Amino acid sequence: QLTPVLPEQPRAVEAPAPTPFVLPERNDNSFIVTAYLMRRGIDFDVIARCMESGTLYESKGHHNAVFVGKDEAGVPRYAMLRGTDGGNFKVEAAGSDKRFAFSMRGTGDTLLVAESAIEALSVATILRRNGKEWRAPHYLSLGGISERQATVPRALEQYLSDHPDIRHIRLMLDSDRAGRGAAQRIAERLGDGYDVKGIFPAHGKDYNDEARWRSETAIRQEEPAKQR
């Protein structure tokens, strides 16, 4: 009598362990990052505020700008690295939790949302140079968006959950198809509970273009006055 052959039982597969999040090693100073951001039109006081809060520093070795996102307990959970040598290097640190993307916490009930950390700093720069109260709003970087983004970005969803006093949301996204489409979809999903508006840059594709245009225009206007 033949012994029936039983089907082989599938082996249990262990889920891979999550990648631990570790911030890049910090450089002794942030001179290169400060100069890089100022060349991109960012105001020094805005840079200093981020460095004082520990959400911006210069990495050791490659001298990248490191934009840090923290949770409500102040624990770093996210980091975006940007090259400072004029190239296009941009990468999230391994193990980053995108729910806690880079932000600048304010005291008011308005949240200004940008696609990247540099664009968030650009919005703050524009407000400061226009004589506005730039420290009151909250600023949030989404860490990029997708043209097919169909849901509220995780970073925005988390920030609103952590800051229930926010009532006004200004979507300062890129003035392109992806940015305008994302702003429309986000507004549709949040419009019932919040005052949501998309505000796009008047000059260039994004708010860093806008900040640089304003900075260069101010310099051009100052030059004739110095020559008199």
Side-chain angles (χ1 to χ4, degrees), residues 143-208:
I145 60 166
S146 167
E147 190 170 345
R148 299 178 180 178
Q149 181 85 40
T151 59
V152 176
R154 286 184 292 166
L156 177 54
E157 193 172 52
Q158 183 70 44
Y159 203 89
L160 294 175
S161 174
D162 291 339
H163 299 85
D165 292 340
I166 289 173
R167 299 264 53 90
H168 309 284
I169 302 172
R170 299 295 177 257
L171 302 170
M172 324 287 283
L173 307 183
D174 291 4
S175 183
D176 58 11
R177 179 177 175 180
R180 289 180 178 273
Q184 181 178 352
R185 291 189 293 273
I186 293 170
E188 288 171 353
R189 284 159 178 76
L190 296 177
D192 291 340
Y194 299 91
D195 166 33
V196 188
K197 293 180 182 177
I199 304 177
F200 302 98
H203 304 92
K205 173 178 169 287
D206 58 43
Y207 273 95
N208 188 238

Side-chain angles (χ1 to χ4, degrees), residues 57 82 137 153 184 209 217:
Y57 68 92
R82 292 290 298 258
Q184 181 178 352
D209 288 342
T217 300

Side-chain angles (χ1 to χ4, degrees), residues 60 74 94 100 103 148 164 194 206 213 224:
K60 197 166 189 177
F100 301 98
S103 66
R148 299 178 180 178
Y194 299 91
D206 58 43
W213 181 88

